Amino acid sequence: MKIYLLSLGAGLLVGVIYSLLQVRSPAPPLVALVGLLGILVGEQVIPVGRQLLDGSSIAAAWQKAACATHIFGLLPGHHGRAETTTTPAPDEKAS
C-alpha cells in the first residue's frame, strides 16, 4: 500500500509542476516523453551518486550502476548474451 501512496504523491507533485508550467493534462506527447526520460535518468542519480562517493569515476559509476541497460534497454546485437563476467568453477584448473 505504501508504494501506491508514494506513487500518488509523486503524481500529484508532477501535476503541480505541470500546472506551474501551464501544461494541460493530458500532456502533449513530446512533453510526456521528455518527462518519462527525466524519470528514467532521475532513477539513476542515487546509484551513480553512491558509486561516485565510493571514489569511482563518472564513467565507471555509470557502468557499475548499469544505467545504459536500464535507460536504453537491451540494445540490438546483445540478445541472449549475458553482461556478467564469468569465473571458472573452483574445480576447474586454469591452463
Side-chain angles (χ1 to χ4, degrees):
M1 183 69 174
K2 180 180 174 182
I3 191 73
Y4 298 112
L5 293 175
L6 290 174
S7 180
L8 178 63
L12 289 172
L13 178 63
V14 169
V16 169
I17 292 170
Y18 273 18
S19 177
L20 292 173
L21 295 172
Q22 297 179 353
V23 175
R24 301 307 307 160
S25 185
L30 186 57
V31 173
L33 287 173
V34 170
L36 289 173
L37 177 63
I39 291 170
L40 278 173
V41 172
E43 288 177 349
Q44 304 310 308
V45 170
I46 300 298
V48 170
R50 285 182 182 154
Q51 295 294 329
L52 289 173
L53 290 175
D54 287 341
S56 298
S57 69
I58 187 75
W62 178 270
Q63 186 176 14
K64 287 179 186 176
C67 295
T69 304
H70 183 76
I71 292 175
F72 301 117
L74 193 59
L75 296 176
H78 291 279
H79 299 289
R81 270 196 257 165
E83 292 189 18
T84 59
T85 59
T86 58
T87 57
D91 60 336
E92 293 179 10
K93 294 182 180 177
S95 52

